Amino acid sequence: MTDNTTTTSRARPRINGAAIGYFAQQYGVLIIIVALLIGLSFASDSFFTARNLLNILNQSAPLAIIACALTLVIIGGGFDLSTGAIFGVASVSAGWLAVNVDPYIGIIAGPLIGLMLGAINGIIITGFGVHSFLVTLATSLVYRGVAILITGGALIPVRIPEFSWLGRERIGMVNVAVIVLAIFMIAMMFLLNRTTFGRKVFAVGGNEEAAILSGIRTNLVKIMTFCLTGGAAGLAGVISVSRISMAEPQAGVGMELEAIAAVILGGTSIMGGSGAVWRSVSGVLLIALIGNGFNILNVNPFFKDLTTGVIIVIAVALAASASRR
């Protein structure tokens, strides 16, 4: 009788608070996205169309690219508040080079400048042992000042076809920027989940002391994650400039908070050690869907910010609850 009871108990899947919390952390953002898609489709005939959905993806591409790389920083136990400023520096640098040197050099230089600024963040953080929150808060002010110095505070018009194709051209119905996002997301997923470097990122964020004792060069891992995020912000900046044909020093203001919110919405732990790239992109899409839906329904923008904020608070609460279990 005892054996039968044990067998029966093993056969039944256990549904408890921990399992529900884990499921909510893993797939909650997808459930909310599906609910929004259904609700907005009934609310407006113009919402669930290929044109509108592709437009949402295209508009979200720069932010999603940053969120993909930022996921690695946060999984590694770091925090980056400078992505918006790096976006601004890369934007004006790429625009200036495109106009004054060569359009293709401008496209290539944007991500490289972002990567360099990200490396400076990582070197300062690991070299001085200062928390990444404080360092990137300070460097964001410096980088924003650099962007203003480059342009003198003025706008740089970049109306060059060899430059604007990245943000404006399409392959079929799909914008090139969306294709770039898809390639970048797959590359980040592969790097995080299929390489030794990715395993080291999880190890550093999960328990840094244990990672050091295991022989992992934790400082190098951290520097590389900040390089990737800087490069992503630079790439996003180039896409944005090529789309609007204008480089401005104030571009990207507040973008760092949106990217962090998207990563947290996707269920990546702010304590480090767990997370997924695809969920961060889902978080970006969730924010974009809320904005698009409210615009279509002509709702007061205040309620959009209110709704987004409430959803982020719920996501953080669920993540904290799951981590305590």
Side-chain angles (χ1 to χ4, degrees), residues 7 35 40 58 73 86 130 144 160 196 199 212 217 249 259 264 271-272 296 319 321:
T7 304
L40 291 172
N58 185 40
V73 168
I86 293 176
V130 184
R144 189 63 68 186
I160 307 171
T196 303
R199 288 193 288 275
I212 293 172
R217 298 171 66 185
I264 294 173
M271 306 303 291
I296 286 178
S321 175

Side-chain angles (χ1 to χ4, degrees), residues 80-232:
D80 195 340
L81 289 173
S82 68
T83 52
I86 293 176
F87 179 96
V89 175
S91 297
V92 296
S93 301
W96 189 91
L97 288 168
V99 172
N100 295 287
V101 182
D102 183 85
Y104 293 106
I105 290 179
I107 291 174
I108 296 170
L112 292 178
I113 290 171
L115 190 147
M116 182 187 69
L117 298 180
I120 292 173
N121 282 341
I123 290 170
I124 295 175
I125 290 165
T126 56
F128 293 93
V130 184
H131 196 281
S132 54
F133 180 91
L134 298 175
V135 171
T136 55
L137 178 62
T139 56
S140 68
L141 300 175
V142 175
Y143 296 159
R144 189 63 68 186
V146 171
I148 294 173
L149 282 176
I150 292 172
T151 63
L155 303 178
I156 303 177
V158 193
R159 300 187 182 90
I160 307 171
E162 291 83 0
F163 186 86
S164 60
W165 64 269
L166 184 60
R168 294 191 171 193
E169 292 296 324
R170 295 182 179 184
I171 297 177
M173 289 182 65
V174 183
N175 291 82
V176 173
V178 176
I179 296 172
V180 172
L181 165 63
I183 294 172
F184 190 80
M185 183 179 76
I186 292 170
M188 288 297 104
M189 290 172 64
F190 180 82
L191 186 65
L192 184 62
N193 300 315
R194 301 290 181 184
T195 67
T196 303
F197 172 74
R199 288 193 288 275
K200 289 179 179 177
V201 172
F202 279 110
V204 172
N207 190 328
E208 186 171 352
E209 290 186 9
I212 293 172
L213 292 173
S214 301
I216 295 174
R217 298 171 66 185
T218 56
N219 286 348
L220 181 60
V221 172
K222 289 181 180 179
I223 291 172
M224 290 179 68
T225 59
F226 280 95
C227 286
L228 288 170
T229 305

Side-chain angles (χ1 to χ4, degrees), residues 225-244:
T225 59
F226 280 95
C227 286
L228 288 170
T229 305
L235 175 61
V238 173
I239 291 174
S240 181
V241 172
S242 63
R243 176 184 297 161
I244 64 175

Side-chain angles (χ1 to χ4, degrees), residues 20-21 24-25 28 313-323 325:
I20 294 173
Q25 186 183 22
V313 169
I314 293 172
V316 172
L318 285 172
S321 175
S323 64
R325 292 190 180 96

